[in-house]
Amino acid sequence: MEYKEERLRLINSLKYQGLSQEILDAMYRVPRHLFVPSESQIDAYVDAPIMIGQNQTISAPHMVAMMCDLLDLSEGQVVLEVGAGSGYHAAVISELVGESGHVYSIECIEELVNFSRNNLKNAGYSNVTVIHGDGSEGYPEYAPYDRILVTAGAPDVPDSLLNHLKPEGILVIPVGFYFQDLYQIKKELDGSISKNEKGGVMFVPLIGKYGFNMKS
């Protein structure tokens, strides 16, 4: 099934967020049902989070769209995503940066690394690379990045990510534990940082060196 009617219904509901047509078109093109467990495919186009295993979720479509809007994505950009999850958000970003751009997505849970890689492959995305590692430390191999997205709540904004952001780059990150504030952070040409709060959100906690210690 392609869920065309369900996809269209979802996109029509997102139009009221004031999103660009580019984001709406990208959201429509991504087959979200290929990025959730098979038993959840019937709910893939409901605007709500979905459990994907390992106590992790795929974000609600309106949140994915909002974060893409805050990232101000365009053709040819190189993006670092911290937290691949199912690969869905990376696929939407991939649509927006195009074949001349690339998404590097880091995931610390090995089962989700394999899950997201398979989903992206099955959906036909070739400009997304999923890496097994600690995303809170960034990923220096392809730094600096035009844009950085964090899909989990961090204790604070890691310097490691700010250091991997290009001048005139944008970082979008939730900060907090149970309930978080979403921040859009911009690095100016002179290296100075501006931080803008964009509202309350709820994500799983960031795990890793600069994340929360979930063992205590």
Side-chain angles (χ1 to χ4, degrees):
M1 289 182 64
E2 293 299 318
Y3 298 95
K4 289 183 179 179
E5 290 184 10
E6 292 83 354
R7 269 200 237 193
L8 187 58
R9 193 178 304 122
L10 171 64
I11 299 310
N12 285 336
S13 73
L14 295 176
K15 287 181 178 179
Y16 300 101
Q17 283 189 222
L19 301 164
S20 69
Q21 191 61 48
E22 288 80 8
I23 290 176
L24 293 172
D25 290 345
M27 297 286 289
Y28 181 78
R29 287 193 298 269
V30 178
R32 192 171 187 251
H33 60 282
L34 298 184
F35 291 89
V36 300
S38 56
E39 65 272 17
S40 300
Q41 286 193 349
I42 194 170
D43 297 318
Y45 297 98
V46 175
D47 191 10
I50 294 176
M51 296 298 297
I52 55 172
Q54 310 300 317
N55 293 316
Q56 303 294 303
T57 62
I58 176 174
S59 294
H62 76 269
M63 184 55 60
V64 172
M66 176 184 175
M67 294 176 90
C68 286
D69 185 49
L70 292 175
L71 284 168
D72 190 22
L73 297 158
S74 60
E75 188 88 20
Q77 289 177 333
V78 178
V79 180
L80 175 66
E81 178 189 44
V82 178
S86 73
Y88 173 68
H89 205 148
V92 177
I93 294 172
S94 167
E95 291 281 354
L96 291 163
V97 301
E99 292 184 4
S100 60
H102 201 92
V103 184
Y104 295 96
S105 186
I106 307 184
E107 175 57 58
C108 64
I109 301 173
E110 190 169 3
E111 290 84 354
L112 293 183
V113 172
N114 297 327
F115 184 54
S116 58
R117 283 175 179 167
N118 288 334
N119 293 341
L120 288 158
K121 181 180 179 182
N122 291 338
Y125 290 94
S126 58
N127 64 335
V128 181
T129 302
V130 180
I131 301 136
H132 184 210
D134 180 358
S136 75
E137 296 187 82
Y139 194 63
E141 187 167 345
Y142 297 101
Y145 300 92
D146 297 294
R147 302 289 188 264
I148 299 177
L149 170 69
V150 181
T151 62
D156 205 344
V157 181
D159 287 339
S160 52
L161 298 183
L162 291 174
N163 292 338
H164 289 169
L165 189 63
K166 281 184 180 179
E168 297 190 296
I170 297 174
L171 163 65
V172 173
I173 181 171
V175 176
F177 190 67
Y178 289 112
F179 300 96
Q180 301 107 19
D181 292 312
L182 185 64
Y183 287 95
Q184 181 195 57
I185 297 168
K186 296 183 179 181
K187 180 185 278 190
E188 307 301 335
L189 276 173
D190 62 3
S192 62
I193 299 295
S194 63
K195 188 176 178 182
N196 300 298
E197 186 180 340
K198 296 297 181 177
V201 292
M202 186 184 294
F203 283 84
V204 297
L206 180 66
I207 304 167
K209 183 176 180 179
Y210 300 109
F212 289 98
N213 181 3
M214 303 305 292
K215 295 180 181 179
S216 59

